[in-house]
C-alpha cells in the first residue's frame, strides 16, 4: 500500500499530493502534525522514517523516500504517464531550473523550522518574521515571473500546455504566500498559470483546505 506522510499546510507535502493526483495514483494519508505536542515529526517512530524530521515521506511498497522533488521525479520515472518533464534535455533543464528556483531558493528560507528559529531563538517579533517571509518570497518570485513571462516555451503552464514539475512547485508556493497576505498581482504570469492549474481536479484535491487534517 502506498502511504504519504504529510501535513496539510506543508508546501513540500502539497507538491507530492499534486504529483500523485496527476499520475492518478491512490495513496493512504498518514498525518504528521508539525506543531501539535511540540511537533509529531520529532517522535522517534517518525525519525526512524526520516531522520531530518521533515515531511513528506512516501512509502511505495518496499521503497521509502524523502524530499519532495526526489519523490516527484521517482514517481515520474516509475509511473511515466503523464510525464512531468519534457523529452528534450534543454527543455527538461528549463523545467528543473524553474522548479529549483522555488523549491531550493524560496521555500527553505521560509519553512516552519526557519520561522520558529527566528522567533524562538533569535527573538524577532512577529512583524519582523512576517517581513522576512515577504522579502524572500517577493524577491524569489520576481525572477520566476520574468523567466516565465519572457520565454517562448511558457504556455498555459510553466512549460507548454500540460502541467509538470515546475507547476507542482509553483502552486504550493503561491498558496503559502497568500496565507501570509502577500499580494501577488505583481506576478500576472504566475497567477494566470496558477489559475490554469487550479482548474484541474488533481490540483484542487491536493489543496490544503481539501485535506482531512485541515484545521
Amino acid at each position: 500500500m502506498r502511504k504519504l506522510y504529510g501535513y496539510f499546510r506543508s508546501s513540500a507535502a502539497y507538491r507530492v499530493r499534486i504529483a500523485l493526483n496527476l499520475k492518478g495514483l491512490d495513496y493512504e494519508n498518514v498525518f504528521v502534525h508539525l506543531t501539535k505536542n511540540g511537533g509529531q515529526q520529532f517522535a522517534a517512530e517518525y525519525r526512524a522514517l526520516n531522520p531530518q524530521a521533515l515531511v513528506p515521506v512516501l512509502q511505495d511498497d518496499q521503497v521509502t523516500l524523502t524530499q519532495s522533488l526526489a519523490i516527484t521525479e521517482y514517481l515520474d520515472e516509475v509511473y511515466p504517464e503523464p510525464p512531468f518533464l519534457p523529452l528534450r534535455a534543454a527543455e527538461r533543464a528549463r523545467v528543473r531550473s524553474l522548479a529549483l528556483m522555488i523549491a531550493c531558493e524560496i521555500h527553505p528560507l521560509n519553512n516552519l523550522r526557519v520561522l520558529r528559529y527566528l522567533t524562538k531563538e533569535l527573538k524577532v517579533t512577529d512583524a519582523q518574521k512576517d517581513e522576512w517571509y515577504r522579502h524572500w518570497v517577493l524577491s524569489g518570485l520576481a525572477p520566476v515571473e520574468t523567466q516565465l513571462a519572457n520565454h517562448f516555451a511558457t504556455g498555459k503552464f510553466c512549460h507548454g500546455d500540460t502541467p509538470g514539475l515546475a507547476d507542482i512547485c509553483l502552486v504550493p508556493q503561491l498558496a503559502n504566500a497568500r496565507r501570509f497576505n502577500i499580494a501577488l498581482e505583481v506576478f500576472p504570469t504566475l497567477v494566470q498559470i496558477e489559475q490554469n492549474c487550479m482548474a484541474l481536479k488533481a490540483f484542487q484535491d491536493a489543496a490544503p483546505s481539501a485535506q482531512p487534517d485541515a484545521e
Side-chain angles (χ1 to χ4, degrees):
M1 179 63 186
R2 193 177 296 112
K3 292 183 180 181
L4 177 64
Y5 294 76
Y7 178 59
F8 77 105
R9 277 190 183 141
S10 163
S11 58
Y14 190 176
R15 294 172 199 149
V16 178
R17 293 196 300 266
I18 295 169
L20 287 163
N21 292 348
L22 285 171
K23 295 292 185 182
L25 298 172
D26 294 330
Y27 61 96
E28 174 189 344
N29 275 305
V30 181
F31 304 117
V32 182
H33 200 292
L34 300 187
T35 61
K36 189 178 293 182
N37 301 322
Q40 295 174 349
Q41 70 274 26
F42 299 117
E45 182 181 2
Y46 187 74
R47 279 186 179 272
L49 287 175
N50 185 356
Q52 280 190 294
L54 298 172
V55 293
V57 169
L58 180 72
Q59 290 183 321
D60 190 22
D61 292 329
Q62 302 303 310
V63 177
T64 299
L65 298 169
T66 64
Q67 291 293 330
S68 62
L69 292 189
I71 293 169
T72 301
E73 292 218 31
Y74 162 83
L75 292 172
D76 203 32
E77 292 172 7
V78 176
Y79 309 99
E81 295 298 330
F84 293 153
L85 292 165
L87 289 175
R88 296 181 57 201
E91 293 176 341
R92 290 199 304 274
R94 175 182 185 257
V95 171
R96 286 192 175 107
S97 174
L98 291 165
L100 292 171
M101 288 172 74
I102 298 165
C104 295
E105 301 293 340
I106 303 173
H107 173 246
L109 289 165
N110 292 299
N111 67 12
L112 179 61
R113 60 179 178 168
V114 169
L115 299 181
R116 262 187 185 159
Y117 187 82
L118 288 172
T119 56
K120 292 185 180 299
E121 303 300 327
L122 300 185
K123 308 301 182 184
V124 307
T125 65
D126 285 342
Q128 289 172 321
K129 177 196 71 176
D130 290 348
E131 180 56 34
W132 167 282
Y133 191 100
R134 281 192 295 272
H135 171 77
W136 292 113
V137 169
L138 291 170
S139 63
L141 288 177
V144 181
E145 168 73 19
T146 300
Q147 292 233 24
L148 288 168
N150 297 333
H151 201 285
F152 68 91
T154 303
K156 288 177 60 179
F157 300 97
C158 290
H159 189 86
D161 292 329
T162 55
L165 181 64
D167 307 282
I168 288 168
C169 292
L170 175 64
V171 168
Q173 185 61 66
L174 296 187
N176 269 3
R178 285 197 174 85
R179 189 159 64 86
F180 278 78
N181 300 313
I182 295 176
L184 298 175
E185 293 79 7
V186 292
F187 307 124
T189 309
L190 303 187
V191 171
Q192 184 58 62
I193 290 171
E194 178 194 36
Q195 290 175 358
N196 295 338
C197 289
M198 293 309 297
L200 302 177
K201 190 174 187 301
F203 284 84
Q204 295 167 10
D205 290 348
S209 60
Q211 305 315 301
D213 63 327
E215 297 169 348

